[in-house]
Amino acid sequence: MKATRAVREVFGFFGGLAWKTGKTRVFALLGLIPVALAVVVRIVLRGRTGDMVAVFTEILMVFFLQFYIVILTLFYGTSITAEETENRTLAYLTTRPVPKPAIILGKYAAYGLLMFAMVAASLIPSYFLLNAGRLGQPEVIKAFFVDLGVLGLGILAYSAFFTFLGTFLKRAIILGLIFGFGWENVIQYFPGSTQRFSVVHYLKSLLPYRPVTGGGGRGVALLLFRLEPTPPLLAVLALTAIAAVFLALACGLFRIKEYLYED
Amino acid sequence: MSAVISASHLSKWYGNVLGLNDVSLEIEAGITGLLGPNGAGKSTFMKLVTGQMKPNIGFVTVRGRKAWNNPGIFQGIGFCPENDVFYEDMTGGEFVAGLLRFYGYARTEIRDRTARALDLVGLTADQDRLIRGYSRGMRQRIKFAQAVAHDPEIVILDEPLSGLDPLGKRKLIRLIKDFKSQGRTVLVSSHVLPEIEALTSQVVLIHQGKVLAQGDIPYIRDLIESHPHQISVRSGDPRALAARFVGDKSIQKMTFAADGRTLVVETHNRDAFFGRLTGVLLEAGLAVDEISSPDDNLQAVFEYLVGK
């Protein structure tokens, strides 16, 4: 079977399966948090748009950018290989006439689409609830698509990295947590070129910078702070390169590595 | 006849543990039983044949093609793993159909092949149930169905009969034998001699990663029967039972266990002893509480064969 066809078939197999798992239900529930917050803000701040809406939109972006997509990609990315070895189902896949890299790429695509759908299902209602009064303004709609696109790129880049980590290590979750919530959260605030060693730096570089002015937003000012943003085109290229390099590494490693069960 | 599966000086180790040690084998068309106690190296051999693992030394070929990292060979191989593992959130039908996607079939063909495979294992009525709700026997059968749904020329079955009830075993044995009659190659592993015996006369004895013997069942039987078996019979009057067996030529030694109720018999001919025992018990009107054969297992036989 040709590699592209094999990727498509693996995508089809896991595309259907991924939606049914308990893990997906839990993460979908987690995605309701910003929707619930948006509802609360709408009720509490009824009639007050402007700064507070912008600030809260930024808080949502902090949730999505620095928590939701990181946790989603960490669990789905590392599981691309790990769940097959831990559940010992790998033999069902590797004894088929499909190239091993197709298994990685097909699952990556299936899980990537699933994560994007979960993020979109969470972002769309929360965003439009908060901007209900300004939906006629083109920049609000444009900002929504920029936000969604940035989150999509984040999913691609983080997933590829965590896929590689899960293919390389037996217990990748711990290291993934340290990377996602330690390294990423610290390195991005380092001045100079050090910040460029984080994925989130490039994601933030793509977001329109909306300085926090309202009182309620001061608490998140640090999280939104951008030191020296990379130009947008370079940021997109960097994120694409991160995704491509780590996916290629994961595919190469999966092809040559033996996966032995604990016993 | 040319070998379908060929292993040459195959060795595989896991860290310091030797999984397979210098195994050279030629497996021809028909059913070949891989017989050995748990941990003997049967699954390791099968994983090497199916390219799931890379040999440390030697090589294995399937129809002359190397198995490791060669997905092309799997168009003609069906593999049924030993572990009771599945994509539990799938239905039986989805599982078989989903895995058939990897062979490049059109949708209609996938549907037809799925229906045929499920019908073959008697799971048509349960195809829409989640696998997590299947009984152990159903799980074994759906595992078999996924291995044969693409009509492979070579079927590799790792302990396919474990967990099946007698009726299920009989059905599966018949299915496997049908494959043989279609000219295919079946490699099947088990640690239970009667299971292998019911399937084939061609057996490979494997123990501690080494092939101890390869031949037909009578040869293996001879090897086994030259090993004295211990059989314990617990009854109310073990001495009366012993008295009936004193002149029996199949018996080498009789002792009484410390509990005073158990007669321990040592025999070279287990089948003859059991054949006679039933009649003796009926004649004497003796009630038996328990019959056990402490070394009536392959482990004991293998230890005997390797000279321990």
Side-chain angles (χ1 to χ4, degrees), chain B residues 165-196:
Chain B
D165 57 32
L167 190 66
K169 275 186 189 174
R170 214 166 63 197
K171 278 184 182 170
L172 199 56
I173 286 168
R174 186 174 45 78
L175 285 175
I176 295 170
K177 282 184 163 177
D178 285 348
F179 273 97
K180 183 200 171 189
S181 63
Q182 291 162 13
R184 300 179 210 222
T185 304
V186 181
L187 178 63
V188 57
S189 75
S190 177
H191 60 278
V192 182
L193 177 64
E195 283 181 6
I196 292 287

Side-chain angles (χ1 to χ4, degrees), chain A residues 115-150:
Chain A
M115 287 184 275
F116 186 74
M118 282 200 277
V119 167
S122 178
L123 182 74
I124 292 168
S126 47
Y127 189 91
F128 287 106
L129 266 169
L130 289 172
N131 293 284
R134 306 189 301 153
L135 289 179
Q137 298 171 21
E139 64 269 20
V140 173
I141 303 297
K142 188 185 160 204
F144 166 76
F145 281 110
V146 169
D147 290 350
L148 195 60
V150 169

